[in-house]
Amino acid sequence: MKLCPLIALLIPLCAFASDERIAYSCDNEKGSASHIDISFSADISGRPQATLHFADEAVVLPQVPAASGTLYRSGDIRLHSRGDEAIFEDGKGNLRRCHRGNPPVSHQPAPPAATSSFIDVAGSVTYLSRIALPPDAVLDLRIHAGRRTLVEQRYDLNGAQVPIPFSATVDRDLIGKKQQLAISARITGGGRLLFVSHKAIPTPLNGQAVPVKLRMNKVSRPHGR
């Protein structure tokens, strides 16, 4: 008979000891992520309650009437749950949207994509003259901003004919804020200059490649005296 009071005291303790902590992933109104462990149980009188488990403390919220879902509250601290979703207000003006198990879908707009530090310039070189290039023809390309040369390339054409593809990568940090990119090209062969070209090209703001179609002009031979 003396065991009855002891058994009566152990029953609520066993109920709390067996409470399962459920992990919730949360985001706040600023978009930062966090998580909360929540257990659901009943107090000694049988009233449902929720316990929020943090790293250094636990907060117990008794259940209160709600128009929809289930609401737990203690002062200004509230936990409103519905299915796998929950909204937690910490009483300090901060609100977290939580989802059981998996990370919640953010209600914040996605951050803008980072601008690339490099610009890809690619395209082709062509000319209108109906002539074949000599076997020793060489294409020289120069990409520059103002007087500053950013890229220099040399292609041994080995008899290749137009259009001639090319590609280059430019470091964006080498370009001044008000400078515009330009590309210069020349084809030499047989000991003389055959074609030249110069063209301004756009500087993209989103890091995408710059397509360039460079049309070269034939260099006229000087007339003899």
Side-chain angles (χ1 to χ4, degrees), residues 124-142:
S124 61
V125 172
T126 188
Y127 51 81
L128 296 179
S129 300
R130 296 177 177 273
I131 64 171
L133 294 175
D136 65 343
V138 173
L139 169 64
D140 291 298
L141 282 173
R142 183 171 70 94

Side-chain angles (χ1 to χ4, degrees), residues 51-134:
T51 303
L52 310 180
H53 301 273
F54 300 98
D56 53 356
E57 65 175 339
V59 178
V60 179
L61 307 178
Q63 182 179 333
V64 296
S68 63
T70 307
L71 179 62
Y72 303 89
R73 178 178 178 181
S74 177
D76 293 330
I77 302 176
R78 299 179 180 88
L79 177 71
H80 191 183
S81 66
R82 180 184 298 175
D84 290 337
E85 306 287 339
I87 296 178
F88 170 55
E89 298 174 75
D90 65 0
K92 301 177 182 179
N94 300 314
L95 183 146
R96 302 185 198 180
R97 301 180 185 274
C98 306
H99 190 278
R100 180 172 177 170
N102 297 320
V105 176
S106 177
H107 297 271
Q108 300 297 318
T115 301
S116 172
S117 297
F118 298 93
I119 301 171
D120 294 324
V121 181
S124 61
V125 172
T126 188
Y127 51 81
L128 296 179
S129 300
R130 296 177 177 273
I131 64 171
L133 294 175

Side-chain angles (χ1 to χ4, degrees), residues 176-191:
K177 293 182 178 180
K178 297 183 179 180
Q179 287 183 318
Q180 186 175 27
L181 288 177
I183 182 168
S184 300
R186 54 186 286 165
I187 295 178
T188 56

Side-chain angles (χ1 to χ4, degrees), residues 6-89:
L6 181 60
I7 294 175
L9 290 174
L10 287 176
I11 290 175
L13 293 176
C14 293
F16 285 113
S18 62
D19 291 341
E20 178 185 4
R21 294 190 182 187
I22 302 172
Y24 281 77
S25 298
C26 309
D27 64 5
N28 61 25
E29 294 175 321
K30 297 181 180 179
S32 60
S34 62
H35 74 273
I36 302 175
D37 288 341
I38 305 175
S39 61
F40 300 92
S41 59
D43 62 14
I44 193 171
S45 63
R47 182 182 181 184
Q49 62 185 13
T51 303
L52 310 180
H53 301 273
F54 300 98
D56 53 356
E57 65 175 339
V59 178
V60 179
L61 307 178
Q63 182 179 333
V64 296
S68 63
T70 307
L71 179 62
Y72 303 89
R73 178 178 178 181
S74 177
D76 293 330
I77 302 176
R78 299 179 180 88
L79 177 71
H80 191 183
S81 66
R82 180 184 298 175
D84 290 337
E85 306 287 339
I87 296 178
F88 170 55
E89 298 174 75

Side-chain angles (χ1 to χ4, degrees), residues 51 73 156 171 194:
T51 303
R73 178 178 178 181
D156 293 318
D171 188 341
L194 302 175

